[in-house]
Amino acid sequence: MMERVFNFSSGPATLPPSVLEEASRGVLEIAGSGMSILEVSHRGPEYEKIHFEARERLVRLLGLSPNDYTALFLGGGASLQFAMLPMNFLEAGQSADFVHTGEWSGRAIKEASLFGQARIAGNTESARFAHLPKALALDAGARFVHFTTNNTIE
């Protein structure tokens, strides 16, 4: 039996062995399909069942109404989202609000500025991002609010 190593770095995290064992079974075969989760179609019933159930559970876990909200599972990581969100939700003359919490939000602000106005709704740069802003100046007309909670650099 291998000795478990606990990873506390940003990004990937340590998972319980029971989760890894269930995932490994899905890599071999999923839902009696005779195929691995890596082999089934992303439009097939085996994958769609997992996808839609995960989406519904996430919305419910966040205490949100499934009539008003949905969850998107997107590849590329946070840096891709810095561009993808404003590319899809901002047009020239529109704005988005940003809570500037450090390096990652700074990158998101820079990227959004290419597509519209990136408004700073809160900022603790003067405190070297040691805490979150106590108050935010949100614009009711903003297309979205970007808030990075995982400040892994400062």
Side-chain angles (χ1 to χ4, degrees):
M1 179 155 189
M2 76 173 187
E3 185 175 329
R4 298 286 295 150
V5 174
F6 294 96
N7 177 7
F8 294 104
S9 63
S10 61
T14 301
L15 295 171
S18 61
V19 171
L20 297 172
E21 289 165 4
E22 183 176 345
S24 69
R25 286 190 297 275
V27 169
L28 295 174
E29 182 182 26
I30 193 73
S33 67
M35 293 182 286
S36 160
I37 187 64
L38 304 174
E39 300 168 305
V40 298
S41 169
H42 65 286
R43 293 184 188 99
E46 299 85 7
Y47 174 78
E48 283 192 344
K49 181 179 185 304
I50 295 167
H51 178 90
F52 291 117
E53 184 177 310
R55 189 172 74 179
E56 184 272 327
R57 284 181 174 191
L58 179 59
V59 169
R60 190 176 68 228
L61 178 68
L62 294 171
L64 302 172
S65 165
N67 296 326
D68 297 324
Y69 295 92
T70 191
L72 298 176
F73 299 115
L74 304 168
S79 295
L80 177 62
Q81 304 312 313
F82 297 159
M84 189 183 297
L85 201 62
M87 284 174 76
N88 284 284
F89 290 102
L90 273 184
E91 295 177 11
Q94 295 179 327
S95 68
D97 284 346
F98 288 80
V99 182
H100 191 14
T101 58
E103 177 70 25
W104 302 114
S105 64
R107 291 183 190 192
I109 291 164
K110 180 179 177 184
E111 200 67 38
S113 297
L114 299 173
F115 303 97
Q117 181 187 4
R119 288 187 62 258
I120 308 299
N123 187 351
T124 58
E125 187 170 11
S126 63
R128 296 182 44 114
F129 305 112
H131 59 84
L132 299 174
K134 293 188 183 348
L136 301 176
L138 297 172
D139 177 7
R143 299 286 291 151
F144 62 89
V145 177
H146 178 104
F147 181 31
T148 302
T149 59
N150 190 12
N151 182 355
T152 59
I153 295 185
E154 283 83 20

